Amino acid sequence: MDELLAKDAWQLITVGMVYHAMEKRGKCCGCFPNAIAVIVKCVEIWHRENATPEAEILQFVARTRDVLSEQETRRNEMRLAKSNMRAA
């Protein structure tokens, strides 16, 4: 995570980026909500350790949570749609 943030401290780090950096793949994506929570916490800690002004941290973390939550909602909707298609 530190390497990603060192390249661009304000980039949106996604679960896919983390898995790619670890040379791993998500299979069922069930771990993604927990991974998102870890990413948000790590980004917040990194910025605090690097003396980013608190107001900027709070704004960035809130925006990151919103975007990642939207992605998770879309993933869940796609899973539900697939499940409904199989059941039909």
Side-chain angles (χ1 to χ4, degrees):
M1 184 80 62
D2 289 349
E3 292 175 14
L4 293 171
L5 289 167
K7 288 179 185 174
D8 178 1
W10 298 109
Q11 69 179 310
L12 175 62
I13 297 175
T14 65
V15 175
M17 291 170 68
V18 172
Y19 274 94
H20 181 74
M22 296 184 330
E23 298 180 359
K24 303 286 182 189
R25 287 179 40 140
K27 294 186 177 154
C28 71
C29 304
C31 64
F32 280 23
N34 289 335
I36 290 168
V38 170
I39 290 168
V40 170
K41 189 66 179 167
C42 289
V43 167
E44 185 176 0
I45 290 168
W46 189 91
H47 278 283
R48 285 207 166 86
E49 288 175 352
N50 287 281
T52 302
E54 188 68 18
E56 291 180 33
I57 294 171
L58 295 176
Q59 181 182 7
F60 183 71
V61 168
R63 189 171 50 117
T64 300
R65 281 191 179 122
D66 290 346
V67 170
L68 294 175
S69 291
E70 287 174 21
Q71 289 177 347
E72 183 59 24
T73 298
R74 277 190 242 123
R75 253 192 304 281
N76 288 335
E77 289 170 352
M78 289 175 20
R79 272 192 224 117
L80 181 60
K82 274 186 177 180
S83 177
N84 289 340
M85 287 174 43
R86 287 186 200 133

